[in-house]
mmCIF file of all heavy atoms in Angstrom:
data_model
loop_
_atom_site.group_PDB
_atom_site.id
_atom_site.type_symbol
_atom_site.label_atom_id
_atom_site.label_comp_id
_atom_site.label_asym_id
_atom_site.label_seq_id
_atom_site.Cartn_x
_atom_site.Cartn_y
_atom_site.Cartn_z
ATOM 1 N N LEU A 78 82.183 99.420 107.192
ATOM 2 C CA LEU A 78 82.184 98.939 105.908
ATOM 3 C C LEU A 78 81.302 97.727 105.723
ATOM 4 O O LEU A 78 81.047 96.964 106.700
ATOM 5 C CB LEU A 78 83.624 98.393 105.574
ATOM 6 C CG LEU A 78 84.611 99.478 105.291
ATOM 7 C CD1 LEU A 78 86.036 98.709 105.176
ATOM 8 C CD2 LEU A 78 84.405 100.253 104.084
ATOM 9 N N GLN A 175 98.543 106.236 109.269
ATOM 10 C CA GLN A 175 98.100 105.220 110.305
ATOM 11 C C GLN A 175 99.182 104.633 111.069
ATOM 12 O O GLN A 175 99.083 104.360 112.204
ATOM 13 C CB GLN A 175 97.225 104.249 109.577
ATOM 14 C CG GLN A 175 95.965 104.782 109.063
ATOM 15 C CD GLN A 175 94.855 104.871 110.285
ATOM 16 O OE1 GLN A 175 94.453 103.806 110.718
ATOM 17 N NE2 GLN A 175 94.513 106.129 110.656
ATOM 18 N N ARG A 183 94.654 102.765 115.562
ATOM 19 C CA ARG A 183 94.593 102.655 114.124
ATOM 20 C C ARG A 183 93.372 102.198 113.601
ATOM 21 O O ARG A 183 92.974 102.759 112.589
ATOM 22 C CB ARG A 183 95.712 101.592 113.713
ATOM 23 C CG ARG A 183 97.073 102.217 113.524
ATOM 24 C CD ARG A 183 98.045 101.265 112.962
ATOM 25 N NE ARG A 183 99.282 101.369 113.806
ATOM 26 C CZ ARG A 183 100.205 100.519 113.924
ATOM 27 N NH1 ARG A 183 100.067 99.333 113.167
ATOM 28 N NH2 ARG A 183 101.284 100.632 114.608
ATOM 29 N N GLY A 184 92.700 101.150 114.070
ATOM 30 C CA GLY A 184 91.557 100.598 113.589
ATOM 31 C C GLY A 184 90.405 101.674 113.559
ATOM 32 O O GLY A 184 89.435 101.431 112.686
ATOM 33 N N ARG A 185 90.456 102.618 114.336
ATOM 34 C CA ARG A 185 89.443 103.659 114.382
ATOM 35 C C ARG A 185 89.507 104.630 113.273
ATOM 36 O O ARG A 185 88.537 105.274 112.881
ATOM 37 C CB ARG A 185 89.366 104.350 115.750
ATOM 38 C CG ARG A 185 88.747 103.402 116.903
ATOM 39 C CD ARG A 185 88.634 104.224 118.044
ATOM 40 N NE ARG A 185 89.405 103.643 119.106
ATOM 41 C CZ ARG A 185 89.950 104.304 120.186
ATOM 42 N NH1 ARG A 185 89.815 105.571 120.281
ATOM 43 N NH2 ARG A 185 90.689 103.647 121.125
ATOM 44 N N GLY A 186 90.719 104.758 112.870
ATOM 45 C CA GLY A 186 90.920 105.688 111.670
ATOM 46 C C GLY A 186 90.928 107.165 112.071
ATOM 47 O O GLY A 186 90.608 107.605 113.187
ATOM 48 N N LEU A 210 94.581 98.202 101.640
ATOM 49 C CA LEU A 210 93.767 98.373 102.977
ATOM 50 C C LEU A 210 94.579 97.453 104.026
ATOM 51 O O LEU A 210 94.858 96.280 103.739
ATOM 52 C CB LEU A 210 92.409 97.720 102.775
ATOM 53 C CG LEU A 210 91.404 97.894 103.937
ATOM 54 C CD1 LEU A 210 90.052 98.425 103.488
ATOM 55 C CD2 LEU A 210 91.182 96.614 104.736
ATOM 56 N N THR A 211 95.049 98.093 105.011
ATOM 57 C CA THR A 211 95.715 97.412 106.073
ATOM 58 C C THR A 211 94.999 97.397 107.385
ATOM 59 O O THR A 211 94.145 96.356 107.579
ATOM 60 C CB THR A 211 97.170 98.053 106.350
ATOM 61 O OG1 THR A 211 96.932 99.515 106.430
ATOM 62 C CG2 THR A 211 98.045 97.840 105.191
ATOM 63 N N SER A 212 94.895 98.370 108.215
ATOM 64 C CA SER A 212 94.040 98.362 109.463
ATOM 65 C C SER A 212 92.655 98.597 109.189
ATOM 66 O O SER A 212 91.766 98.261 109.917
ATOM 67 C CB SER A 212 94.618 99.290 110.384
ATOM 68 O OG SER A 212 94.243 100.696 109.983
ATOM 69 N N GLY A 213 92.355 99.185 108.054
ATOM 70 C CA GLY A 213 90.942 99.457 107.724
ATOM 71 C C GLY A 213 90.443 100.854 108.337
ATOM 72 O O GLY A 213 89.344 101.189 108.149
ATOM 73 N N GLY A 214 91.321 101.424 109.071
ATOM 74 C CA GLY A 214 90.991 102.731 109.728
ATOM 75 C C GLY A 214 90.507 103.755 108.805
ATOM 76 O O GLY A 214 89.417 104.415 108.942
ATOM 77 N N THR A 215 91.253 104.091 107.844
ATOM 78 C CA THR A 215 90.916 105.181 106.799
ATOM 79 C C THR A 215 89.582 104.684 106.071
ATOM 80 O O THR A 215 88.750 105.595 105.937
ATOM 81 C CB THR A 215 92.053 105.322 105.838
ATOM 82 O OG1 THR A 215 93.257 105.710 106.509
ATOM 83 C CG2 THR A 215 91.684 106.421 104.758
ATOM 84 N N ALA A 216 89.402 103.495 105.603
ATOM 85 C CA ALA A 216 88.385 103.036 104.899
ATOM 86 C C ALA A 216 86.998 103.198 105.728
ATOM 87 O O ALA A 216 85.980 103.576 105.253
ATOM 88 C CB ALA A 216 88.480 101.605 104.305
ATOM 89 N N ASN A 217 87.229 102.788 107.017
ATOM 90 C CA ASN A 217 86.067 102.909 107.930
ATOM 91 C C ASN A 217 85.664 104.360 108.223
ATOM 92 O O ASN A 217 84.467 104.692 108.317
ATOM 93 C CB ASN A 217 86.361 102.140 109.217
ATOM 94 C CG ASN A 217 85.945 100.710 109.219
ATOM 95 O OD1 ASN A 217 84.787 100.403 108.933
ATOM 96 N ND2 ASN A 217 86.852 99.871 109.588
ATOM 97 N N ALA A 218 86.656 105.195 108.337
ATOM 98 C CA ALA A 218 86.410 106.679 108.485
ATOM 99 C C ALA A 218 85.607 107.241 107.239
ATOM 100 O O ALA A 218 84.707 108.015 107.349
ATOM 101 C CB ALA A 218 87.674 107.488 108.796
ATOM 102 N N ARG A 238 94.877 93.755 99.779
ATOM 103 C CA ARG A 238 94.543 93.756 101.269
ATOM 104 C C ARG A 238 95.602 92.957 101.959
ATOM 105 O O ARG A 238 96.004 91.909 101.638
ATOM 106 C CB ARG A 238 93.201 92.910 101.356
ATOM 107 C CG ARG A 238 92.789 92.549 102.748
ATOM 108 C CD ARG A 238 92.457 93.851 103.610
ATOM 109 N NE ARG A 238 91.591 93.491 104.783
ATOM 110 C CZ ARG A 238 92.026 93.735 105.965
ATOM 111 N NH1 ARG A 238 93.221 94.129 106.250
ATOM 112 N NH2 ARG A 238 91.020 93.537 107.000
#
Side-chain angles (χ1 to χ4, degrees):
L78 287 171
Q175 287 279 295
R183 272 184 227 163
R185 283 185 242 154
L210 188 130
T211 46
S212 70
T215 299
N217 269 305
R238 168 66 158 118

